[in-house]
Amino acid sequence: MSDVPSALADADARRLSARTRLFATLDRVQARVNPVTLAQDAVETVALGVARDTVATVRAHPRTVAAVAGAAIVFLARRPLARILAGGATTIVKASLKKRSATHTSAGKARRKKGSSK
């Protein structure tokens, strides 16, 4: 008779262990099949592939990449470069200096007012 309760206790312990393992497996499967996780994995995979391809392209064609990068920088800076080339740089510098001197003189006047009130 003592074997029967012992066998039942062992079977119950195995059942609980199997149930715990099953639920742990289900949790892992749900985490993997979660749409957000799938999307993140896909984005990471694509990003790694693009980065790898980019590095390979730069190593294979460094001069071409440098020329394209230079052209992109010139394109982005086209307006300031046009002002400089058209002679507007001196006007810009003068305006900047005038603005700075106005800021400094107004700050000096404010300091003098504070000092005279003492």
Side-chain angles (χ1 to χ4, degrees):
M1 284 282 253
S2 66
D3 288 341
V4 173
S6 157
L8 286 176
D10 289 343
D12 193 40
R14 285 193 309 270
R15 178 188 62 82
L16 287 174
S17 175
R19 181 184 171 131
T20 304
R21 286 192 317 263
L22 175 67
F23 283 122
T25 303
L26 285 175
D27 287 341
R28 283 195 308 262
V29 168
Q30 284 178 340
R32 282 187 178 179
V33 181
N34 185 353
V36 174
T37 305
L38 290 174
Q40 287 174 346
D41 289 345
V43 167
E44 288 173 7
T45 302
V46 169
L48 287 174
V50 168
R52 230 179 279 122
D53 292 346
T54 301
V55 169
T57 302
V58 169
R59 285 185 179 162
H61 308 287
R63 290 182 184 146
T64 306
V65 172
V68 169
I73 290 170
V74 168
F75 176 75
L76 292 174
R78 68 187 180 276
R79 289 185 181 144
L81 289 174
R83 274 188 252 131
I84 290 170
L85 294 175
T90 55
T91 311
I92 293 169
V93 170
K94 287 179 184 176
S96 175
L97 289 174
K98 188 175 183 180
K99 186 176 181 181
R100 284 185 190 169
S101 65
T103 305
H104 289 299
T105 55
S106 65
K109 288 179 185 177
R111 275 192 228 119
R112 277 184 249 142
K113 285 181 184 179
K114 285 182 182 179
S116 63
S117 66
K118 285 184 181 179

mmCIF file with all atom_site columns, all heavy atoms in Angstrom, residues 109-118:
data_model
loop_
_atom_site.group_PDB
_atom_site.id
_atom_site.type_symbol
_atom_site.label_atom_id
_atom_site.label_alt_id
_atom_site.label_comp_id
_atom_site.label_asym_id
_atom_site.label_entity_id
_atom_site.label_seq_id
_atom_site.pdbx_PDB_ins_code
_atom_site.Cartn_x
_atom_site.Cartn_y
_atom_site.Cartn_z
_atom_site.occupancy
_atom_site.B_iso_or_equiv
_atom_site.pdbx_formal_charge
_atom_site.auth_seq_id
_atom_site.auth_comp_id
_atom_site.auth_asym_id
_atom_site.auth_atom_id
_atom_site.pdbx_PDB_model_num
ATOM 1  N N   . LYS A 1 109 ? 25.926 98.429  -22.365 1.00 0.00 ? 109 LYS A N   1
ATOM 2  C CA  . LYS A 1 109 ? 25.037 99.456  -21.831 1.00 0.00 ? 109 LYS A CA  1
ATOM 3  C C   . LYS A 1 109 ? 24.242 98.905  -20.648 1.00 0.00 ? 109 LYS A C   1
ATOM 4  O O   . LYS A 1 109 ? 24.051 99.591  -19.657 1.00 0.00 ? 109 LYS A O   1
ATOM 5  C CB  . LYS A 1 109 ? 24.077 99.953  -22.914 1.00 0.00 ? 109 LYS A CB  1
ATOM 6  C CG  . LYS A 1 109 ? 24.735 100.809 -23.967 1.00 0.00 ? 109 LYS A CG  1
ATOM 7  C CD  . LYS A 1 109 ? 23.723 101.230 -25.017 1.00 0.00 ? 109 LYS A CD  1
ATOM 8  C CE  . LYS A 1 109 ? 24.383 101.979 -26.149 1.00 0.00 ? 109 LYS A CE  1
ATOM 9  N NZ  . LYS A 1 109 ? 23.424 102.319 -27.210 1.00 0.00 ? 109 LYS A NZ  1
ATOM 10 N N   . ALA A 1 110 ? 23.818 97.684  -20.757 1.00 0.00 ? 110 ALA A N   1
ATOM 11 C CA  . ALA A 1 110 ? 23.051 97.069  -19.671 1.00 0.00 ? 110 ALA A CA  1
ATOM 12 C C   . ALA A 1 110 ? 23.929 96.933  -18.432 1.00 0.00 ? 110 ALA A C   1
ATOM 13 O O   . ALA A 1 110 ? 23.479 97.155  -17.310 1.00 0.00 ? 110 ALA A O   1
ATOM 14 C CB  . ALA A 1 110 ? 22.519 95.708  -20.101 1.00 0.00 ? 110 ALA A CB  1
ATOM 15 N N   . ARG A 1 111 ? 25.205 96.586  -18.614 1.00 0.00 ? 111 ARG A N   1
ATOM 16 C CA  . ARG A 1 111 ? 26.108 96.462  -17.487 1.00 0.00 ? 111 ARG A CA  1
ATOM 17 C C   . ARG A 1 111 ? 26.361 97.829  -16.830 1.00 0.00 ? 111 ARG A C   1
ATOM 18 O O   . ARG A 1 111 ? 26.427 97.958  -15.635 1.00 0.00 ? 111 ARG A O   1
ATOM 19 C CB  . ARG A 1 111 ? 27.439 95.851  -17.935 1.00 0.00 ? 111 ARG A CB  1
ATOM 20 C CG  . ARG A 1 111 ? 27.407 94.346  -17.967 1.00 0.00 ? 111 ARG A CG  1
ATOM 21 C CD  . ARG A 1 111 ? 28.808 93.773  -18.120 1.00 0.00 ? 111 ARG A CD  1
ATOM 22 N NE  . ARG A 1 111 ? 28.721 92.784  -19.191 1.00 0.00 ? 111 ARG A NE  1
ATOM 23 C CZ  . ARG A 1 111 ? 29.380 92.816  -20.333 1.00 0.00 ? 111 ARG A CZ  1
ATOM 24 N NH1 . ARG A 1 111 ? 30.237 93.758  -20.603 1.00 0.00 ? 111 ARG A NH1 1
ATOM 25 N NH2 . ARG A 1 111 ? 29.207 91.880  -21.241 1.00 0.00 ? 111 ARG A NH2 1
ATOM 26 N N   . ARG A 1 112 ? 26.504 98.860  -17.673 1.00 0.00 ? 112 ARG A N   1
ATOM 27 C CA  . ARG A 1 112 ? 26.742 100.205 -17.137 1.00 0.00 ? 112 ARG A CA  1
ATOM 28 C C   . ARG A 1 112 ? 25.543 100.692 -16.332 1.00 0.00 ? 112 ARG A C   1
ATOM 29 O O   . ARG A 1 112 ? 25.686 101.320 -15.304 1.00 0.00 ? 112 ARG A O   1
ATOM 30 C CB  . ARG A 1 112 ? 27.057 101.174 -18.264 1.00 0.00 ? 112 ARG A CB  1
ATOM 31 C CG  . ARG A 1 112 ? 28.529 101.108 -18.649 1.00 0.00 ? 112 ARG A CG  1
ATOM 32 C CD  . ARG A 1 112 ? 28.861 102.129 -19.701 1.00 0.00 ? 112 ARG A CD  1
ATOM 33 N NE  . ARG A 1 112 ? 29.140 101.332 -20.887 1.00 0.00 ? 112 ARG A NE  1
ATOM 34 C CZ  . ARG A 1 112 ? 28.807 101.644 -22.138 1.00 0.00 ? 112 ARG A CZ  1
ATOM 35 N NH1 . ARG A 1 112 ? 28.172 102.739 -22.383 1.00 0.00 ? 112 ARG A NH1 1
ATOM 36 N NH2 . ARG A 1 112 ? 29.105 100.858 -23.127 1.00 0.00 ? 112 ARG A NH2 1
ATOM 37 N N   . LYS A 1 113 ? 24.338 100.371 -16.786 1.00 0.00 ? 113 LYS A N   1
ATOM 38 C CA  . LYS A 1 113 ? 23.135 100.775 -16.063 1.00 0.00 ? 113 LYS A CA  1
ATOM 39 C C   . LYS A 1 113 ? 23.090 100.111 -14.705 1.00 0.00 ? 113 LYS A C   1
ATOM 40 O O   . LYS A 1 113 ? 22.726 100.713 -13.709 1.00 0.00 ? 113 LYS A O   1
ATOM 41 C CB  . LYS A 1 113 ? 21.878 100.445 -16.862 1.00 0.00 ? 113 LYS A CB  1
ATOM 42 C CG  . LYS A 1 113 ? 21.643 101.375 -18.027 1.00 0.00 ? 113 LYS A CG  1
ATOM 43 C CD  . LYS A 1 113 ? 20.380 100.993 -18.746 1.00 0.00 ? 113 LYS A CD  1
ATOM 44 C CE  . LYS A 1 113 ? 20.167 101.857 -19.976 1.00 0.00 ? 113 LYS A CE  1
ATOM 45 N NZ  . LYS A 1 113 ? 18.964 101.483 -20.696 1.00 0.00 ? 113 LYS A NZ  1
ATOM 46 N N   . LYS A 1 114 ? 23.442 98.826  -14.657 1.00 0.00 ? 114 LYS A N   1
ATOM 47 C CA  . LYS A 1 114 ? 23.439 98.111  -13.382 1.00 0.00 ? 114 LYS A CA  1
ATOM 48 C C   . LYS A 1 114 ? 24.475 98.697  -12.447 1.00 0.00 ? 114 LYS A C   1
ATOM 49 O O   . LYS A 1 114 ? 24.238 98.861  -11.266 1.00 0.00 ? 114 LYS A O   1
ATOM 50 C CB  . LYS A 1 114 ? 23.754 96.608  -13.595 1.00 0.00 ? 114 LYS A CB  1
ATOM 51 C CG  . LYS A 1 114 ? 22.620 95.835  -14.162 1.00 0.00 ? 114 LYS A CG  1
ATOM 52 C CD  . LYS A 1 114 ? 23.016 94.368  -14.279 1.00 0.00 ? 114 LYS A CD  1
ATOM 53 C CE  . LYS A 1 114 ? 21.909 93.561  -14.889 1.00 0.00 ? 114 LYS A CE  1
ATOM 54 N NZ  . LYS A 1 114 ? 22.283 92.150  -15.033 1.00 0.00 ? 114 LYS A NZ  1
ATOM 55 N N   . GLY A 1 115 ? 25.627 99.053  -12.963 1.00 0.00 ? 115 GLY A N   1
ATOM 56 C CA  . GLY A 1 115 ? 26.697 99.604  -12.140 1.00 0.00 ? 115 GLY A CA  1
ATOM 57 C C   . GLY A 1 115 ? 26.359 100.984 -11.620 1.00 0.00 ? 115 GLY A C   1
ATOM 58 O O   . GLY A 1 115 ? 26.714 101.353 -10.508 1.00 0.00 ? 115 GLY A O   1
ATOM 59 N N   . SER A 1 116 ? 25.646 101.796 -12.387 1.00 0.00 ? 116 SER A N   1
ATOM 60 C CA  . SER A 1 116 ? 25.335 103.163 -11.964 1.00 0.00 ? 116 SER A CA  1
ATOM 61 C C   . SER A 1 116 ? 24.225 103.205 -10.933 1.00 0.00 ? 116 SER A C   1
ATOM 62 O O   . SER A 1 116 ? 24.074 104.162 -10.204 1.00 0.00 ? 116 SER A O   1
ATOM 63 C CB  . SER A 1 116 ? 24.941 104.017 -13.190 1.00 0.00 ? 116 SER A CB  1
ATOM 64 O OG  . SER A 1 116 ? 23.771 103.498 -13.756 1.00 0.00 ? 116 SER A OG  1
ATOM 65 N N   . SER A 1 117 ? 23.416 102.153 -10.833 1.00 0.00 ? 117 SER A N   1
ATOM 66 C CA  . SER A 1 117 ? 22.321 102.128 -9.871  1.00 0.00 ? 117 SER A CA  1
ATOM 67 C C   . SER A 1 117 ? 22.797 101.830 -8.456  1.00 0.00 ? 117 SER A C   1
ATOM 68 O O   . SER A 1 117 ? 22.061 101.947 -7.531  1.00 0.00 ? 117 SER A O   1
ATOM 69 C CB  . SER A 1 117 ? 21.239 101.145 -10.294 1.00 0.00 ? 117 SER A CB  1
ATOM 70 O OG  . SER A 1 117 ? 21.759 99.843  -10.248 1.00 0.00 ? 117 SER A OG  1
ATOM 71 N N   . LYS A 1 118 ? 24.060 101.398 -8.315  1.00 0.00 ? 118 LYS A N   1
ATOM 72 C CA  . LYS A 1 118 ? 24.573 101.046 -6.985  1.00 0.00 ? 118 LYS A CA  1
ATOM 73 C C   . LYS A 1 118 ? 24.910 102.231 -6.196  1.00 0.00 ? 118 LYS A C   1
ATOM 74 O O   . LYS A 1 118 ? 25.305 103.205 -6.177  1.00 0.00 ? 118 LYS A O   1
ATOM 75 C CB  . LYS A 1 118 ? 25.798 100.148 -7.106  1.00 0.00 ? 118 LYS A CB  1
ATOM 76 C CG  . LYS A 1 118 ? 25.404 98.761  -7.498  1.00 0.00 ? 118 LYS A CG  1
ATOM 77 C CD  . LYS A 1 118 ? 26.629 97.878  -7.510  1.00 0.00 ? 118 LYS A CD  1
ATOM 78 C CE  . LYS A 1 118 ? 26.286 96.481  -7.924  1.00 0.00 ? 118 LYS A CE  1
ATOM 79 N NZ  . LYS A 1 118 ? 27.424 95.626  -7.974  1.00 0.00 ? 118 LYS A NZ  1
#
